[in-house]
Amino acid sequence: MNFLRGVMGGQQPSGVQQSGTQTIQKLCDRVASATLLDDRRDAVRALKSLSKKYRLDVATQAMDHLINVLQTDRSDSEIIGYALDTLYNIMSNDADETAESEDENQQITPDDLGVQFSETFIKQQDNITLLLSLLEEFDFHVRWPGIKLLTTLLKHQGTQVQQIVLVSPMGVSRLMDLLDDSREVIRNDGLLLLQQLTKSNAAIQKIVAFENAFERLLDIITEEGNSDGGIVVEDCLLLIQSLLKHNNSNQNFFKEGSYIQRMKPWFEVGDDNSGWSAQKVTNLHLMLQLVRVLVSPVNPPGATSSCQRSMFQCDLLQQLCIILMATGVPADILTETINTVSEVIRGSQVNQDYFASVNAPSNPPRPAIVVLLMSMVNERQPFVLRCAVLYCFQCFLYKNQSGQREIVATLLPSTIDANALSAGQLLCGGLFSTDSLSNWCAAVALAHALLENATQKEQLLRVQLATSIGNPPVSLLQQCTNILSQGDKLIRRGSKVQTKVGLLMLLCTWLTNCPIAVTHFLHNAANVPFLTAQISENLGEEEHLVQGLCALLLGICIYYNDNSLENNTKDKLKQLIVKRIGKENFTEKLGFITKHEFYSKAAQKPQPIFSSPDYMLFDHEFTKLVKELEVVITKAIYKSSEEDKKEEEVKKSLEQHDNIVSRYKNIIREQDMKIEELKQTVAALQATNEQNQSTMSLQLGQIQQHKDQYNLLKVQLGKDNHSSQNSTTQMNGFQPEEVSRLKEEIEELKKQHDILQGELSQKNVLIESMQQSQVDSQTDEMTGVSEKSAELQKELEMLRSQLHIQSAEINRLQAERMELLQKTEISGSLSASFDPSVNSQSNTEMEHKVAELLKEIAGLKEELKNQSEEKSSLKQQLDTAQSTAAILQDENQQLKQELSESKKEQDDLLVLLADQDQKIFGLKKKLKELGEPVEDEDDLESGDAGDEDDLDDDDDDDENVRDEDD
């Protein structure tokens, strides 16, 4: 700062301090003209210190010099950092000007200054490109002020800077690298920069998403502790939300990248929900909003249903329901959770079924729907929470006919449980309570249970209500009309118009496309006069909406009238309108609905969002119903009876035509199914044909390859034959020494042949002797064994016959004994009545006979015992003989094995002999080719070992031939 003091105080001879403008001018001259880097660095440092106080002067005089420094002095990170800080100070609105600024500066707001300076800076697109290149520097004093400067430029001139970054090579990729910086300050400010960069620019959002932004941001959120993290988590969530909102491509990429599964841990808040910090509430609120971005009703239906399915599969919906039923959750988080669950289940049958099965942790357990409805009809609950519950109930019933059936069933007499609180009872209680907001919410909720479901509209006609003790029950439809007619007389908290509007919306929804309900409504003679009176009266502006809804209800009674009641046919109701109201007046009153200021707001989004309960008049689905009915009712009013008849005839013909079309559609559908099956069959056959064709082409290729190989071998064999002929002509010129050597080899092979023949004959003799001895021993042993076994068999048969005879004798003796005993008993009984002496004598005789018989029986038993012992000894002998036979069989098997081995050796000798014969034959062939006389061709081909004498004769002849040659 000594340099700054010298510039500001050392140049005035009068000692007066120089003005800031002159100082800045001198500093700019020093930056532009100084040759030493140190001087330029000091001057830029001085400009930085003056940039906050003299913002306008520094911006107007020094901006070009600072940009030049960024271009020329990139090698010095310190001066680059000073220059970037100075540019940030003059463009940022955080650095407000002080009161010492000049008068003209005070007339310009800081916001305007920042916008003007930013516009001046980006006029040259190269400045943004230069700034992007500086962000590649790792030096903290360069990268950090560069990030802050680019963020400020995006705030002031976002669209222009986005276009420059978009066309800059690797511009977005350089900025994405900031998220990987290990320094938290750089990373956190990089998040803020990317938030500004991706704002409302789908092209940059896609590039950032495909630069793996979701993975990096989710990793940062996990590292920071999910919902328990600090403001960094909030910045990451804001950036993800900016990337996904209204960007179907990024939403699809987020879903397909399995990033929805990584959102589940965000909502694991634990059991202790007391003492939530403000940052945690903010983080969780943003997380819930992020889930809603993925399943928003404004998204394409296919993308929304796909995300809903993924959230159910990864248990994200289950985790949200746990928060929904938990205690101690802050009210704003609970409200946002209800809205989130609403959109996750909206239109998804699987998610709606799961939500219907969720129970609150109460005693006894109650369905979550019942607990939520209790909050909706409770006037002490916050208004925002009651709206969220209504939205949840509407989403639960959206395109859910099974859910509508369950809700209506809780109102029917056969299913009402007096001990349990049901959804139907809560809706009826809210419908007839003294709180107008509860009336409206219950009426709209019940209307959604009937929406586009004619069956449930007819079922709801069965509902009977007990109004007071002693009076007969009235139908729900009649009770609604009674409350409408007595609306002004009843004391209610809130707006009476709100109650009337809710009930009229319920009745209009109920009677639409349900002629039976129209008949029930018209059956009450007081209903039509009440509607005509309401429409024809001149009421205040607050009642205009009620008049319009009454006109709509009367128009529905005309359009959907089946003329079943003579007093209330279509024609008579039209005549009544003409007489009492007038067609033009009726049409005007009907138009009050769509002209209402709250109608267009409710038609924009399905979620009921109202700033206060007084503005809660229209339902989103009802606005769509009004849009459909207004035109057809107007036409129906102006039609004559003849046109009605023609229209009915046209309707009948159209119904017949529709039946015919439906029948043909069924036929076409069946034919399409058959065609589809045939297509599948053709596709399968085509696949099989293609496979066969490929196999055939492969086989043809293999055949061609084999043909080529065969032709190549033929050519090679031709060459070999030609070369062998040439070699033969050359061998005819060999020396006699080589011929004699070949003959000596033949002689040696002959000797080896003779030796092998001798060994072979010896082996044959040995094998024959072994076979003979084996056969003899086997016959002897088997003969002895057979004889022994025959003898043992005879003895065994003999013993069995004896045993049989003895057992027969024993049976006979036992039978005689029994007869004697019977006779003894009879004689004893007779003698007892006559002579006692004779009786005693006969008894002694019988006792002697019995004793003799017992002795004979004991002797027979002894003989039987001896016979059994002999039988067991014979069995042992037989077992010994069988074991001996098994041993002999094992020895026989061993002998057979030795015989097979001997045969193998014999075969090996035969192979050796064959090889020797082949060698001898080859050598003889060579001798013949050499011109030496050898045996005849027949002898060469036979190669038999028994022709030794002929070979000796041939040798003698060869010697004689050689002598003659000599």
Side-chain angles (χ1 to χ4, degrees):
M1 296 300 294
N2 294 327
F3 170 78
L4 179 62
R5 293 192 193 97
V7 171
M8 297 187 67
Q11 301 295 329
Q12 290 292 334
S14 60
V16 180
Q17 187 178 8
Q18 295 178 344
S19 66
T21 303
Q22 294 174 345
T23 304
I24 292 169
Q25 180 64 42
K26 291 183 179 181
L27 291 173
C28 291
D29 294 339
R30 182 64 60 88
V31 171
S33 61
T35 57
L36 293 177
L37 179 62
D38 293 338
D39 292 342
R40 293 198 302 275
R41 186 190 303 119
D42 292 338
V44 174
R45 185 192 300 119
L47 287 172
K48 174 192 171 184
S49 62
L50 295 172
S51 59
K52 292 184 179 180
K53 184 176 181 181
Y54 301 100
R55 181 180 177 189
L56 180 61
D57 292 332
V58 173
T60 54
Q61 300 183 42
M63 183 178 293
D64 293 336
H65 299 295
L66 294 172
I67 294 172
N68 187 51
V69 167
L70 296 178
Q71 294 172 346
T72 57
D73 292 330
R74 291 194 58 175
S75 59
D76 186 70
S77 59
E78 190 174 0
I79 191 173
I80 296 294
Y82 292 148
L84 291 172
D85 281 332
T86 306
L87 289 171
Y88 170 73
N89 289 337
I90 62 178
M91 293 181 193
S92 174
N93 294 325
D94 296 336
D96 295 334
E97 300 229 25
T98 61
E100 297 177 0
S101 300
E102 296 183 2
D103 295 337
E104 62 267 21
N105 297 349
Q106 295 175 358
Q107 298 174 0
I108 304 174
T109 61
D111 289 342
D112 295 336
L113 285 176
V115 172
Q116 292 177 8
F117 298 154
S118 300
E119 184 178 0
T120 304
F121 184 83
I122 66 172
K123 280 182 180 179
Q124 296 293 329
Q125 295 188 5
D126 294 339
N127 293 340
I128 300 297
T129 306
L130 175 63
L131 187 56
L132 290 173
S133 64
L134 289 173
L135 291 179
E136 292 183 348
E137 297 290 337
F138 187 74
D139 192 289
F140 179 81
H141 297 288
V142 175
R143 180 172 280 193
W144 188 41
I147 293 171
K148 294 192 294 181
L149 176 58
L150 186 57
T151 304
T152 302
L153 292 172
L154 284 166
K155 288 180 180 178
H156 295 323
Q157 301 290 333
T159 305
Q160 293 83 349
V161 177
Q162 285 174 343
Q163 293 302 320
I164 298 172
V165 173
L166 194 59
V167 299
S168 176
M170 300 294 292
V172 179
S173 299
R174 293 171 181 171
L175 299 179
M176 287 299 300
D177 292 338
L178 299 176
L179 297 180
D180 297 329
D181 200 305
S182 58
R183 296 161 293 192
E184 290 189 3
V185 176
I186 301 294
R187 185 196 66 186
N188 298 344
D189 284 352
L191 289 171
L192 300 176
L193 170 61
L194 289 172
Q195 286 179 23
Q196 297 295 329
L197 180 67
T198 58
K199 188 177 293 184
S200 303
N201 193 306
I204 294 180
Q205 289 170 359
K206 291 179 182 179
I207 296 173
V208 171
F210 282 97
E211 287 285 343
N212 205 20
F214 293 131
E215 184 76 26
R216 298 179 183 182
L217 294 172
L218 291 174
D219 289 341
I220 295 173
I221 292 173
T222 304
E223 291 171 3
E224 294 291 329
N226 295 328
S227 60
D228 294 323
I231 196 171
V232 179
V233 174
E234 180 182 349
D235 293 336
C236 290
L237 292 170
L238 288 172
L239 179 54
I240 296 175
Q241 188 173 345
S242 175
L243 293 174
L244 292 177
K245 203 166 187 178
H246 307 305
N247 194 318
N248 298 327
S249 175
N250 282 0
Q251 290 175 8
N252 188 45
F253 180 74
F254 191 86
K255 177 187 71 67
E256 291 181 352
S258 300
Y259 297 122
I260 291 178
Q261 288 80 344
R262 297 189 60 179
M263 297 170 70
K264 182 194 170 186
W266 296 353
F267 306 103
E268 295 174 355
V269 295
D271 297 331
D272 186 13
N273 296 320
S274 59
W276 286 34
S277 64
Q279 187 62 55
K280 182 175 181 177
V281 171
T282 303
N283 292 342
L284 202 57
H285 200 274
L286 289 172
M287 291 172 178
L288 292 169
Q289 287 183 348
L290 194 57
V291 175
R292 294 185 65 185
V293 167
L294 295 171
V295 293
S296 175
V298 300
N299 293 343
T304 300
S305 61
S306 180
C307 291
Q308 288 172 335
R309 187 164 51 251
S310 298
M311 289 177 183
F312 176 76
Q313 291 172 353
C314 72
D315 294 340
L316 178 58
L317 173 60
Q318 291 83 328
Q319 197 63 44
L320 291 173
C321 290
I322 291 174
I323 298 177
L324 192 66
M325 294 292 105
T327 56
V329 179
D332 51 348
I333 294 297
L334 181 61
T335 303
E336 190 64 23
T337 304
I338 295 172
N339 289 327
T340 306
V341 171
S342 305
E343 295 183 352
V344 172
I345 67 174
R346 187 176 188 270
S348 174
Q349 188 64 51
V350 177
N351 293 1
Q352 288 167 341
D353 293 342
Y354 171 76
F355 184 71
S357 65
V358 175
N359 288 324
S362 59
N363 190 16
R366 288 177 176 171
I369 298 173
V370 173
V371 176
L372 292 175
L373 288 177
M374 291 171 64
S375 300
M376 185 185 74
V377 298
N378 186 356
E379 55 185 302
R380 289 191 295 273
Q381 293 292 338
F383 172 67
V384 180
L385 179 64
R386 298 175 74 180
C387 292
V389 173
L390 176 62
Y391 184 46
C392 184
F393 191 74
Q394 292 174 347
C395 292
F396 170 69
L397 297 178
Y398 183 71
K399 294 183 180 179
N400 184 11
Q401 292 192 352
S402 61
Q404 291 174 327
R405 183 178 62 252
E406 292 173 0
I407 296 298
V408 173
T410 58
L411 289 165
L412 298 178
S414 59
T415 58
I416 292 177
D417 186 2
N419 298 322
L421 192 63
S422 65
Q425 294 174 356
L426 289 170
L427 290 177
C428 284
L431 193 64
F432 307 126
S433 71
T434 57
D435 178 34
S436 61
L437 183 59
S438 298
N439 300 154
W440 190 92
C441 291
V444 171
L446 196 56
H448 277 262
L450 306 175
L451 204 62
E452 297 180 359
N453 196 330
T455 304
Q456 302 311 317
K457 291 177 182 178
E458 296 176 5
Q459 289 291 323
L460 200 64
L461 294 172
R462 298 169 49 201
V463 177
Q464 299 291 322
L465 301 175
T467 55
S468 60
I469 300 175
N471 294 328
V474 297
S475 66
L476 177 62
L477 183 64
Q478 183 60 44
Q479 184 65 15
C480 291
T481 57
N482 291 340
I483 294 175
L484 269 177
S485 60
Q486 300 173 4
D488 296 333
K489 299 177 182 178
L490 298 175
I491 300 173
R492 296 185 181 279
R493 290 183 296 275
S495 173
K496 295 181 181 180
V497 174
Q498 193 175 45
T499 301
K500 290 181 180 180
V501 170
L503 291 172
L504 286 169
M505 286 195 298
L506 172 60
L507 292 173
C508 290
T509 305
W510 194 347
L511 270 59
T512 299
N513 202 18
C514 186
I516 299 176
V518 172
T519 303
H520 278 73
F521 180 79
L522 296 175
H523 192 269
N524 187 350
N527 288 338
V528 174
F530 169 74
L531 293 178
T532 55
Q534 288 287 322
I535 298 169
S536 60
E537 287 182 5
N538 292 322
L539 302 175
E541 287 188 10
E542 66 275 3
E543 295 288 339
H544 281 179
L545 179 58
V546 176
Q547 287 183 316
L549 292 173
C550 289
L552 179 66
L553 183 58
L554 186 57
I556 291 171
C557 293
I558 294 172
Y559 186 73
Y560 292 103
N561 195 334
D562 57 359
N563 296 324
S564 58
L565 297 176
E566 295 182 359
N567 296 329
N568 290 309
T569 61
K570 286 185 177 181
D571 293 337
K572 290 185 178 180
L573 290 177
K574 287 181 184 178
Q575 293 173 5
L576 183 65
I577 290 175
V578 172
K579 292 178 181 178
R580 298 283 182 89
I581 304 171
K583 291 182 179 180
E584 291 78 9
N585 191 23
F586 180 87
T587 307
E588 182 185 359
K589 297 294 177 67
L590 185 62
F592 284 165
I593 301 175
T594 55
K595 292 177 182 178
H596 199 277
E597 56 179 336
F598 298 145
Y599 176 86
S600 58
K601 293 181 180 178
Q604 293 175 0
K605 292 182 179 180
Q607 183 181 0
I609 301 176
F610 306 100
S611 57
S612 71
D614 296 335
Y615 298 154
M616 204 171 189
L617 293 176
F618 283 106
D619 174 55
H620 175 75
E621 294 295 332
F622 183 74
T623 59
K624 295 194 291 185
L625 183 65
V626 170
K627 191 175 181 180
E628 295 174 3
L629 293 175
E630 185 178 12
V631 178
V632 297
I633 289 174
T634 304
K635 289 181 180 180
I637 294 298
Y638 283 93
K639 282 180 182 177
S640 62
S641 59
E642 294 179 357
E643 291 177 345
D644 287 337
K645 290 179 181 178
K646 290 180 180 179
E647 187 176 355
E648 289 179 1
E649 292 177 358
V650 170
K651 283 184 179 179
K652 290 180 180 179
S653 62
L654 287 174
E655 288 178 359
Q656 293 176 357
H657 180 265
D658 291 339
N659 294 332
I660 295 171
V661 170
S662 62
R663 187 169 69 251
Y664 279 113
K665 281 183 178 179
N666 293 329
I667 295 172
I668 293 170
R669 191 178 296 110
E670 293 175 358
Q671 291 177 350
D672 288 340
M673 292 174 65
K674 290 180 181 179
I675 291 170
E676 190 65 28
E677 291 176 359
L678 292 173
K679 282 183 179 179
Q680 292 177 358
T681 306
V682 169
L685 292 174
Q686 286 179 349
T688 307
N689 185 25
E690 291 176 358
Q691 187 177 2
N692 293 333
Q693 290 285 346
S694 61
T695 306
M696 189 172 68
S697 62
L698 182 62
Q699 291 176 352
L700 288 173
Q702 292 177 353
I703 291 169
Q704 186 63 37
Q705 185 179 2
H706 291 322
K707 284 183 179 180
D708 296 339
Q709 291 177 358
Y710 175 70
N711 294 329
L712 182 62
L713 288 173
K714 282 177 68 177
V715 173
Q716 289 179 354
L717 286 173
K719 290 181 180 180
D720 292 341
N721 291 333
H722 182 66
S723 62
S724 64
Q725 290 176 2
N726 294 334
S727 63
T728 303
T729 57
Q730 293 176 2
M731 287 173 68
N732 289 332
F734 282 175
Q735 299 296 327
E737 289 82 0
E738 190 170 355
V739 175
S740 61
R741 183 177 59 78
L742 293 172
K743 283 192 174 185
E744 288 176 358
E745 289 181 0
I746 291 171
E747 289 295 333
E748 289 179 359
L749 291 172
K750 283 181 179 179
K751 289 178 182 179
Q752 292 179 1
H753 183 269
D754 295 338
I755 293 168
L756 293 172
Q757 271 306 110
E759 291 180 356
L760 182 60
S761 60
Q762 290 176 2
K763 289 285 185 181
N764 286 332
V765 172
L766 179 61
I767 288 168
E768 290 176 358
S769 62
M770 289 176 68
Q771 286 178 346
Q772 187 64 34
S773 62
Q774 183 182 6
V775 170
D776 294 339
S777 63
Q778 284 179 354
T779 52
D780 293 339
E781 290 172 356
M782 292 303 294
T783 305
V785 171
S786 61
E787 289 176 356
K788 287 182 180 179
S789 61
E791 291 176 0
L792 291 171
Q793 194 70 25
K794 288 179 181 179
E795 290 180 1
L796 184 61
E797 290 295 332
M798 184 176 64
L799 288 171
R800 284 177 178 171
S801 61
Q802 290 179 0
L803 183 61
H804 182 68
I805 293 167
Q806 289 175 357
S807 61
E809 183 68 22
I810 290 168
N811 290 332
R812 185 183 61 79
L813 292 172
Q814 286 179 350
E816 290 179 357
R817 182 190 174 199
M818 293 299 295
E819 290 177 359
L820 289 171
L821 287 173
Q822 290 176 359
K823 288 179 181 179
T824 303
E825 289 176 357
I826 294 168
S827 62
S829 61
L830 291 173
S831 61
S833 60
F834 296 104
D835 189 3
S837 63
V838 176
N839 189 12
S840 61
Q841 186 177 0
S842 63
N843 284 337
T844 53
E845 290 176 357
M846 292 301 296
E847 287 176 357
H848 287 300
K849 288 181 180 181
V850 170
E852 291 174 359
L853 289 171
L854 290 172
K855 287 179 181 180
E856 290 179 2
I857 290 168
L860 290 172
K861 285 184 179 180
E862 189 67 27
E863 290 178 2
L864 182 61
K865 183 178 180 182
N866 295 331
Q867 293 290 337
S868 63
E869 290 177 355
E870 290 177 1
K871 182 180 177 182
S872 61
S873 63
L874 288 172
K875 281 185 178 180
Q876 291 177 358
Q877 292 176 5
L878 180 61
D879 294 337
T880 305
Q882 288 178 351
S883 63
T884 305
I887 293 168
L888 292 173
Q889 286 179 358
D890 293 339
E891 292 177 355
N892 184 17
Q893 190 70 23
Q894 292 177 0
L895 290 172
K896 284 182 179 180
Q897 188 174 359
E898 291 177 359
L899 179 61
S900 64
E901 292 176 356
S902 300
K903 285 182 178 180
K904 287 181 181 179
E905 291 178 0
Q906 186 179 4
D907 293 337
D908 294 338
L909 290 172
L910 289 172
V911 171
L912 290 173
L913 288 173
D915 293 339
Q916 294 292 337
D917 289 341
Q918 191 68 26
K919 288 181 181 180
I920 292 168
F921 178 72
L923 291 172
K924 284 182 179 181
K925 189 174 180 180
K926 287 182 180 180
L927 289 172
K928 187 176 179 182
E929 291 172 354
L930 292 170
E932 294 293 330
V934 292
E935 300 166 341
D936 296 335
E937 189 67 26
D938 296 335
D939 297 333
L940 285 172
E941 291 178 356
S942 64
D944 194 354
D947 296 336
E948 295 176 357
D949 295 334
D950 296 334
L951 290 172
D952 294 335
D953 294 336
D954 292 334
D955 294 338
D956 295 336
D957 294 337
D958 293 338
E959 290 175 1
N960 293 331
V961 171
R962 284 197 297 273
D963 293 336
E964 290 175 0
D965 293 334
D966 296 337

